[in-house]
Amino acid sequence: MARANPGRAGAGFSNIDLGAASTAAGGSPALRGYLVRPAGDGPFPAVLMIHEAFGLDENTVRHADRLAASGYVTLAVDLYSDGGARRCLVATMRSLAAGAGRAFTDLAAARAWLLESGQTTGKIGVIGFCMGGGFALLIAHDGFDAAAVNYGKIPKDPGVLAGSCPIVANFGGRDRTLPEAADKLAAALDGLGVEHDIQEFAAAGHAFLNEVPVGPRLLRPLYRVMGIGPDPQSAPEAWQRIDDHFARHLKDPPSAGR
């Protein structure tokens, strides 16, 4: 596993400068990301990763490292590159709610950069967590071969999900922010004829795939009460479902007639 030019692009956990690609597409001039590659010469299947509402942090890096160790060149794009979470969070959430805006332009630019990097097989998946899960769901029809949605918000109009690639989704039964989300998403995708595998983990809450707590320290006791945070009992099975889904659609050669 190799991290590309650690620290080169500047602040935080970013190590790749995507500004030129993003600016050309009309996106964020300072767009950055965290890129990590599997060991070996490649090429490898690719995964675009979208962080949760707290931004590209230690949990995002651990998630990306995990996928790289499983054989995927992984790019975690930083949607808060142009000002940090305090300045970008509201605009990014508005973009998610509208289904349009700069965040989507940045994601498209990051996807294009990844595929044009010369490091991939041309197969590409998208994975998101929390806010990023909502974005992953909305762009699953934008040229991806597989999507992994983790406790992501379901759009008000599920019809926008028509034509999506195969989706695997994980939700927590104790997640008060997304009540009955697993059932609602399954029903929507059934109606649209989208291939999917959705599971709710009864003992898990929101952000249960994280390995370390997130958010301001003063609020963490409240998050625990709300069931937000790591669940080491449920996470391994959820990750296995993601691994199996990506292996099936990004690594395995297509069968006859597919």
Side-chain angles (χ1 to χ4, degrees):
M1 186 173 69
R3 292 169 175 165
N5 300 317
R8 179 181 174 186
F13 294 94
S14 302
N15 61 10
I16 289 293
D17 186 349
L18 305 168
S22 180
T23 299
S28 300
L31 188 66
R32 299 185 300 271
Y34 173 76
L35 181 71
V36 60
R37 298 185 296 262
D41 296 329
F44 307 99
V47 174
L48 177 66
M49 180 173 290
I50 314 172
H51 58 73
E52 60 187 15
F54 289 108
L56 202 170
D57 59 8
E58 180 181 353
N59 280 300
T60 314
V61 168
R62 292 189 183 198
H63 295 333
D65 287 350
R66 182 188 186 101
L67 284 178
S70 295
Y72 305 96
V73 54
T74 304
L75 173 60
V77 63
D78 183 359
L79 293 179
Y80 300 158
S81 296
D82 269 0
R86 290 185 180 181
R87 292 182 58 187
C88 299
L89 174 60
V90 172
T92 304
M93 294 298 289
R94 285 176 177 169
S95 184
L96 175 61
R102 177 173 286 193
F104 287 92
T105 303
D106 289 347
L107 291 171
R111 175 187 173 276
W113 183 94
L114 189 52
L115 288 176
E116 294 167 6
S117 68
Q119 304 176 49
T120 80
T121 61
K123 287 283 190 178
I124 184 168
V126 59
I127 185 170
F129 307 85
C130 178
M131 178 189 76
F135 277 110
L137 194 56
L138 288 176
I139 66 173
H141 50 45
D142 292 342
F144 292 96
D145 297 290
V149 175
N150 301 290
Y151 29 89
K153 185 178 180 180
I154 303 168
K156 291 182 179 179
D157 176 13
V160 301
L161 305 179
S164 294
C165 62
I167 293 171
V168 64
N170 298 302
F171 293 93
R174 297 178 58 217
D175 187 347
R176 299 180 183 178
T177 69
L178 296 169
E180 302 179 354
D183 290 341
K184 292 176 181 177
L185 181 58
L189 297 180
D190 278 338
L192 296 170
V194 173
E195 181 180 341
H196 62 274
D197 179 9
I198 299 171
Q199 183 167 328
E200 180 181 273
F201 291 82
H206 196 75
F208 73 92
L209 285 173
N210 285 349
E211 295 185 30
V212 296
V214 296
R217 291 185 179 276
L218 290 176
L219 295 180
R220 289 180 185 177
L222 175 61
Y223 292 158
R224 286 194 292 270
V225 172
M226 295 175 64
I228 299 175
D231 181 359
Q233 300 303 314
S234 302
E237 182 180 349
W239 273 113
Q240 187 62 58
R241 286 163 44 74
I242 295 168
D243 291 340
D244 291 346
H245 184 72
F246 279 165
R248 185 180 311 114
H249 296 288
L250 303 182
K251 288 183 176 180
D252 291 348
S255 58
R258 181 175 168 182

